[in-house]
Each structure stands twice: as structure tokens, then as C-alpha cells.
Amino acid sequence: MTSSAPPAATVGILGGGQLARMLAEAGHPLGLAFRVVDPKPGASASRVTEQVVADYDSTDALAALADCDVVTCDFENVPADALAALEARVPVRPSARALAAAQDRWVEKNRFQALDMATAEFARVDSRPELLEAIDRIGLPAVLKTRRMGYDGKGQFVLKTAEDLEPAWQALGDRPLILEQWVPFDHECSITVVRGTDGAKRFYPLTRTWHADGILRLAVAPCPAADRLRAEAERMAGALADDLDYVGCLTLELFADGDRLLANEFAPRAHNSAHWTIEGARCSQFENHLRAVCGWPLGDPGLREGISVMFNFIGDLPDRSVWLAVDGLAWHDYGKTARSGRKVGHATLSAPDVGSLKALRAGLDGELSATVREALDSILS
Ligand code: AMP
């Protein structure tokens, strides 16, 4: 006779990266069990939960996930056929339709506009003449992006002058594209909403984000400009979540230009800009995503700490003995091998107020590059 009770529910996850890992870490205290599917053996989540090594659209994947209570994803580019097959057998939350809405930048931006969410000007580009027409209409600078499979600045080229056109077309011209006006934003920010199976919604504080080379480096919550921007950010993210009948956490990435917010893209999953919520919010994005997909009451997304900063570790981890010496710092090592451009971990530094945060941050002076230090100082000034 076994002495352990069955799990409250078993959650299947397509994708075994760090998001799946942090979902599992958040779900264990809730009594949940997890099964992740990832074709790469030893995926980040496999250190903390069971991994089935299989292609997403294989019969092995389908069999492993179909007997879970609910299935969710840790990335948005899950093959549509795999999700459709799963949806016939088990609740998939967020739905295949919600994921599809985020997979194509053209479809995504048209939906934003239909929901009265402002965007940069954009044009569909399927041929070289269409690119020239789009540049005529939108002007330069502009950004040429692949419609599908782009993330962390991959699959995009900034076109500053006519000379940039040829290399960009050589690199991307074989795929469906979108040309976007370059937004001279004051700063970027993002908002995370969690929506339950009953349509209830709760919003995390607006988060200020800072990217370099298209990759998120810093997130600061709450965003210093939240008082001015929060209501519109919530309106946009709320409208999008309702329109998609969304279940789980969704993050909307925004450009702030004066008092105007322009929608850039959304992520139908847990998002890097809300990792600070693990320590900085009363209920983290990971726990709330799980509460939502399990049909449970949503948790409080309010601040636990006055202010939190998340530092992303890209490529390799810094010296943990220096970072762990800083009070109020939480360390997250994803257990991934070092590789250029790869997200291998993050740290969150929380404090009661900006003054205390700056004092604590001084302990990291030698660890931060000059550009990161300057960016953070300007956000906190
Ligand atoms: P994305 O993959 O669309 O999220 O782009 C990654 C990053 O590139 C954004 O977070 C911005 O920092 C920058 N970026 C993308 N599109 C634009 C744009 N139209 N105008 C200005 N910056 C952009």
C-alpha cells in the first residue's frame, strides 16, 4: 500500500525549457504533478520533473499528454496540428486558437488594430516590389521581420537607409515578412494579465523593460511611469485576453511614446518580463498560470516588495558568489549549458523602495556592464 496521495492534477507541458521548469517549481506546493514533452533529452525542466523525450507532433507525445488533466505550453510556436490533435482529447489552455493568434505577426497586429489597440504602421511583404511599396508608404527607418518563428530579435533587420535593404532581403526574402515603422519610443514596458476559466481577470503591475540586441536584459517593477500608462495597458491586455477567451497568463509587450502606448507583440504563456513576480509579487505568474489552467481561483498579483529588478543572464552565468552576497537577491540557474545568446538564468533583486534598491545594487557594480548600469540608473533615477 502506498502512503502518498495522488496529485491534485497532472499538468502536461509542451516544451521543457526554463518556463516549464519554473511552472513545475511553482506547482509542486499546489500539489500538482507535471509531465513535460521536449525532443531534446535533458531539457531544463527535466531536473525538476518527468520529461518525455519526443517530437511535439509524435504519437508518443500525444499519448504522454492525453492522459494529463490539462495541457499547457512553454513556447508559442507549437505545431498547430499537434495542438489540434491534443485538443480533441484533453483541455489545452491557453487554446490552440490563442496560440495561433500569436504565431503570425501580421495576424497579430491586425487583431490589435481591430481591438482598438494602437500599433506602429506595418505592411505585409511577400515580394521585393511589395517591400519597395511598403518602404514608400512607411518610410525609413523601419524593421523588416519574419511573420513567423521570430523571437529575441531573431529573424529581423533594422533598415536605416536604402543600403540596408539588399542584405536584409538576401537574409529574409524567402519567407513571408512584415515591415514595421521604427518606433522612437521613450521606453518599453509590458503588462501581464491572468485570466481564469470563468473569465475573471487580474493584472500584474506594469513592468518597465530594457532590451539590447532584441533580447530582454532588465525588467523593473513597478514601471516608474505606471501611474500614467497603467490604465491603457490594462485595457489593451484585457481586451485581447477576452477576445481570445484566453485562459492562463498572457503578456503584452508595449512601446511607450509620450502618453501613447503601442502594442508590439504578445506572448501566450509565462513571460521573461514577469519572472520578477516569483519573489516580488504575492502570487507569481507561474502559480497564477497554473491556477488558471486548472480552473482554480486566481492569486493576488499585487506587489510583495516595493520594487524589484530582474537581471537576465544571457550566454553564461556570472560569478554566483558575488551575486549571492547581495541581500534581497534571488538566483535562478536554469541548468543550461553556456551558449552565446542563450538565456541561462536570471536574478531578481527586491527592496522596499528605490533608495534601498540602489544601495543594494551597488554591491553588483563590478558585475554589470557599463550599458546595463547606465540603463538601470536611468530607469531608477
Ligand atoms: P520583437 O521580437 O518584435 O519583440 O522585437 C525585439 C525588440 O526589438 C523589441 O523589444 C524592441 O526593443 C526592438 N524593436 C522591435 N520592433 C521595433 C520597432 N518597430 N521599433 C523600435 N524597436 C523595435
Side-chain angles (χ1 to χ4, degrees):
M1 204 174 83
T2 168
S3 58
S4 55
T10 299
V11 180
I13 308 180
L14 276 158
Q18 67 267 19
L19 300 180
R21 178 185 176 118
M22 289 185 272
L23 281 170
E25 287 168 346
H28 288 144
L30 294 171
L32 293 170
F34 293 86
R35 184 173 302 151
V36 307
V37 169
D38 196 298
K40 291 181 282 322
S44 179
S46 70
R47 293 261 187 104
V48 300
T49 193
E50 175 195 351
Q51 176 184 0
V52 174
V53 178
D55 285 332
Y56 300 117
D57 46 8
S58 65
T59 46
D60 284 355
L62 187 62
L65 294 172
D67 70 339
C68 292
D69 296 291
V70 61
V71 170
T72 193
C73 299
D74 98 332
F75 69 115
E76 57 270 50
N77 291 313
V78 179
D81 292 352
L83 273 188
L86 265 174
E87 264 185 344
R89 298 181 53 181
V90 59
V92 175
R93 296 174 181 152
S95 65
R97 177 174 158 258
L99 264 76
Q103 286 175 345
D104 181 328
R105 291 184 192 273
W106 166 255
V107 172
E108 183 182 30
K109 287 214 155 52
N110 279 296
R111 182 182 300 273
F112 289 165
Q113 294 210 329
L115 293 171
D116 203 18
M117 298 162 63
T119 67
E121 263 199 83
F122 62 95
R124 179 180 168 146
V125 172
D126 290 321
S127 64
R128 194 188 274 264
E130 277 180 8
L131 176 58
L132 297 178
E133 265 169 50
I135 291 175
D136 261 358
R137 179 160 74 76
I138 289 173
L140 294 179
V143 196
L144 189 63
K145 300 181 179 178
T146 55
R147 276 173 60 177
R148 291 181 164 271
M149 303 300 279
Y151 65 97
D152 286 345
K154 293 190 174 71
Q156 48 184 278
F157 268 78
V158 179
L159 309 182
K160 292 195 179 113
T161 67
E163 267 107 77
D164 296 328
L165 211 141
E166 194 52 39
W169 185 256
Q170 288 306 323
L172 305 179
D174 56 343
R175 282 160 281 175
L177 301 172
I178 179 170
L179 186 78
E180 278 177 33
Q181 175 190 37
W182 178 259
V183 181
F185 52 75
D186 302 329
H187 63 83
E188 294 181 82
C189 53
S190 53
I191 183 112
T192 299
V193 57
V194 58
R195 187 172 182 277
T197 46
D198 59 355
K201 293 190 291 294
R202 301 194 75 172
F203 296 90
Y204 282 93
L206 190 68
T207 298
R208 171 82 179 259
T209 53
W210 182 75
H211 298 75
D213 301 326
I215 307 184
L216 182 73
R217 309 287 163 149
L218 293 172
V220 178
C223 172
D227 287 352
R228 279 188 294 124
L229 303 175
R230 186 186 165 112
E232 175 62 357
E234 288 188 3
R235 182 196 69 77
M236 288 184 176
L240 181 62
D242 286 340
D243 185 55
L244 295 170
D245 195 15
Y246 193 87
V247 176
C249 275
L250 171 160
T251 292
L252 177 63
E253 295 185 50
L254 298 155
F255 299 132
D257 182 14
D259 281 342
R260 240 164 42 114
L261 279 179
L262 303 179
N264 177 29
E265 62 178 359
F266 81 98
R269 52 171 167 77
H271 191 254
N272 198 172
S273 67
H275 287 0
W276 65 267
T277 62
I278 299 173
E279 293 83 17
R282 291 186 182 280
C283 181
S284 76
Q285 64 161 342
F286 298 102
E287 179 172 339
N288 251 334
H289 186 78
L290 294 168
R291 288 180 180 228
V293 304
C294 290
W296 295 342
L298 304 180
D300 179 359
L303 295 170
R304 183 189 295 280
E305 296 278 357
I307 181 161
S308 295
V309 179
M310 188 226 49
F311 301 87
N312 246 3
F313 300 141
I314 314 292
D316 54 9
L317 290 172
D319 183 350
R320 85 184 63 211
S321 62
V322 178
W323 288 71
L324 291 177
V326 177
D327 280 348
L329 186 123
W331 181 261
H332 294 266
D333 175 345
Y334 305 155
K336 291 160 82 171
T337 47
R339 193 169 72 207
S340 167
R342 192 177 207 198
K343 292 177 178 171
V344 292
H346 76 267
T348 300
L349 181 58
S350 299
D353 51 57
V354 177
S356 342
L357 187 95
K358 282 184 178 166
L360 290 171
R361 202 282 278 147
L364 296 171
D365 264 356
E367 288 289 299
L368 305 175
S369 70
T371 39
V372 169
R373 245 187 355 251
E374 274 164 31
L376 184 54
D377 287 349
S378 109
I379 294 170
L380 298 178
S381 63

